[in-house]
Amino acid sequence: MKTNITAGFAAILLLTSCNNKDKMLDSLADYNNSKEEQGYHFGDQLQLPKEVTDHAETVTISFGDKETSNLTVDPKFFTLGDNDVTFIIKTESGEILNQDATINVFAKNPEQNISYTVAAEYPHDPDNFVEGFLVEGNTVYESDGLDGSSQLIKYTLGSASPSLTEKQPADVFSEGCTIVGDKIYQLTYKNKIGFVYDKNSLKKISQFPLPNVIGEGWGLTYDGKNLVATDGSKNLYFLDVNDPSKVVRTVAVAGHKETYDKLNELEYHNGFIYSNIWHKPFILKINPATGEAVGKFDFTKITAENDQGNSEHVLNGIAFKGENMLVTGKNWAKIYEIAVK
């Protein structure tokens, strides 16, 4: 009789423990889901549900290779944008529970919607699959992609015919490019290398391996000190211009209510980085010190006029002519000069 009572009591304890465990994980999952769209800002405190705090001895947040028991959104651990984490809960009974979550961290200030007018239009070769776009004076330097037809070209703004062309090997898909002094640096999509060219002749000088952290080459610009690259993620990678295989620092980008990934073609101008978002008709104005998107250009109308119904003919060219912005896209027939209001 005593054995049966003991066994029954143990079963009740086990059932209670399972119920508590399920309630803790379910409540934490509901909490995380409810906060994902609303997001957090740096300095915010994670207010976990009572079902967790009442039965947890400790709560730790794991970021894969680092952990913290501080439930404050601290930039030492979190970045702007989406953060994939695991909550590790040690219960009062000694059990270890794991709950995966995405914690979105947003910029504190809203992006400014930047108004503009179209000041001028110039012809652009619609055969060019634009990946990198630079303007120096009235000279355009353009990196065009696609396997088997990638090239680096140079032409005068207002003329769609190149004055110089440097064809890429058939196995190279050209991507973003930027000017540093008398050199042009250019990324490749999946070859894990970059090229350096003489700006005047477009002849190749050298090549370099991309850092391992950069899975694919997308956009590239120069901020006067470092090369800045994108790889289709939310990150801006600042590279040592003298050794582009070395990452100096990484900055994640987000807006006030949005996370941004697929950052693509880049341009640095007057202390800010401008980036388009692949398959979106927007260009972000980004504070490179913090990663906060401080402004946004909406080019929906211009994109619709040029994409010919092809989803791959996206906005993908940013340059500056004085204080005016030049924009174009993949297989677009025009370059637009934009005057900011």
Side-chain angles (χ1 to χ4, degrees), residues 114 134-135 178 220-224 226 228 266-275 283-288 294 297 318-326 338 340:
I114 303 174
L134 307 166
V135 174
T178 194
L220 190 67
T221 191
Y222 178 60
D223 67 1
N226 298 120
V228 187
L266 299 176
E267 185 71 16
Y268 178 83
H269 181 69
N270 285 351
F272 292 93
I273 289 176
Y274 295 79
S275 175
I283 290 176
L284 300 178
K285 181 180 181 180
I286 301 165
N287 181 339
V294 299
F297 293 85
I318 312 167
F320 276 87
K321 181 176 180 283
E323 292 306 307
N324 286 354
M325 178 187 287
L326 297 176
I338 303 301
V340 178

Side-chain angles (χ1 to χ4, degrees), residues 28 38 98 122 156 241 248:
L28 183 56
Q38 179 183 350
N98 292 328
Y122 307 95
T156 301
V241 69
V248 176

Side-chain angles (χ1 to χ4, degrees), residues 252-321:
V253 174
H256 183 59
K257 293 184 177 179
E258 286 187 73
T259 60
Y260 294 113
D261 62 358
K262 297 183 174 62
L263 300 177
N264 198 359
E265 219 270 319
L266 299 176
E267 185 71 16
Y268 178 83
H269 181 69
N270 285 351
F272 292 93
I273 289 176
Y274 295 79
S275 175
N276 76 301
I277 308 161
W278 189 45
H279 279 287
K280 300 287 186 182
F282 303 113
I283 290 176
L284 300 178
K285 181 180 181 180
I286 301 165
N287 181 339
T290 64
E292 294 185 356
V294 299
K296 180 188 283 189
F297 293 85
D298 185 344
F299 291 117
T300 300
K301 184 174 182 293
I302 288 176
T303 300
E305 291 172 355
N306 286 274
D307 64 13
Q308 301 172 322
N310 188 324
S311 62
E312 295 305 316
H313 292 181
V314 294
L315 171 73
N316 204 50
I318 312 167
F320 276 87
K321 181 176 180 283

